[in-house]
Amino acid sequence: MLPATSEHQQGEIRYRRMTAIWKGSLCFLFLVLCVLLLWVIVAGQTESVEKIYYPMAAVLGMWMVGPFFFMFWTRSIQRVSILVSWDNHSLHAGKRDIPWNQIRKIELANPARSKWQLSASPMYALFLKDGTRVHIHTDHLFGKKELQSSLSILQKSLQEHQEFDPD
């Protein structure tokens, strides 16, 4: 779900809770498969070569998918499914409030990998006038069209607020 804007310059960008639920469910099923691989070894139903490959596959699978399961799970149980909201004075992202007059530009950033070789989610990068950046992670909850659409809405809102309140 995308924006709910009005003449009062208020709006929000929401994610679909069902997206978090089904992606979390897929991650959960994969984690169950990893546990089953370990169980096959404990039950003693493997050959000697499989005792090497199954635990490696299970541990790597848990390493790669486990963080995504918890990320999607926390997003699916959150009371409010708002990723970003704003009013006339500031942009609200999680517990951070960033005044419009401090934001220089907003772009979409796609990091290649995290430091632990996990897939990093696309994020909105807010470039502030003091030279710092604030990242708003999308947690893989939007498709490409939704990312671009919500980015253009954020950029349009920034432009409107900069015209309304120039520095």
Side-chain angles (χ1 to χ4, degrees):
M1 298 195 166
L2 287 180
T5 57
S6 70
E7 283 114 29
H8 299 358
Q9 303 299 327
Q10 294 181 359
E12 61 190 26
I13 295 175
R14 294 177 168 265
Y15 61 89
R16 290 185 186 97
R17 192 178 312 272
M18 274 310 293
T19 301
I21 291 171
W22 76 263
K23 285 185 175 186
S25 298
L26 287 175
C27 291
F28 179 75
L29 289 174
F30 192 82
L31 289 174
V32 168
L33 178 67
C34 291
V35 170
L36 286 175
L37 282 175
L38 292 175
W39 178 252
V40 167
I41 294 168
V42 171
Q45 299 180 7
T46 59
E47 300 294 322
S48 61
V49 176
E50 293 171 339
K51 287 183 182 180
I52 297 170
Y53 294 121
Y54 284 9
M56 287 184 350
V59 169
L60 284 175
M62 289 179 192
W63 176 271
M64 300 297 269
V65 177
F68 290 117
F69 168 72
F70 288 107
M71 178 180 64
F72 292 130
W73 180 68
T74 56
R75 286 290 188 174
S76 66
I77 64 170
Q78 284 181 342
R79 204 166 39 106
V80 180
S81 62
I82 297 174
L83 187 67
V84 180
S85 66
W86 59 89
D87 57 24
N88 286 331
H89 307 290
S90 59
L91 185 89
H92 314 288
K95 296 179 181 178
R96 293 191 71 164
D97 293 337
I98 304 153
W100 287 111
N101 61 5
Q102 290 183 8
I103 303 172
R104 188 171 40 93
K105 68 179 179 176
I106 302 173
E107 292 182 351
L108 187 62
N110 287 316
R113 295 269 175 205
S114 71
K115 65 181 179 181
W116 297 105
Q117 295 300 315
L118 300 175
S119 175
S121 70
M123 62 183 100
Y124 301 111
L126 281 61
F127 294 87
L128 305 182
K129 292 181 180 174
D130 65 2
T132 60
R133 284 193 304 189
V134 174
H135 294 122
I136 303 169
H137 296 273
T138 62
D139 293 341
H140 297 288
L141 294 169
F142 294 138
K144 288 181 182 181
K145 288 181 183 178
E146 291 173 315
L147 276 172
Q148 290 300 324
S149 174
S150 58
L151 175 65
S152 65
I153 290 166
L154 284 171
Q155 289 172 335
K156 181 182 175 189
S157 296
L158 174 63
Q159 183 180 15
E160 289 172 358
H161 285 92
Q162 285 175 339
E163 290 172 1
F164 178 72
D165 187 28
D167 236 9

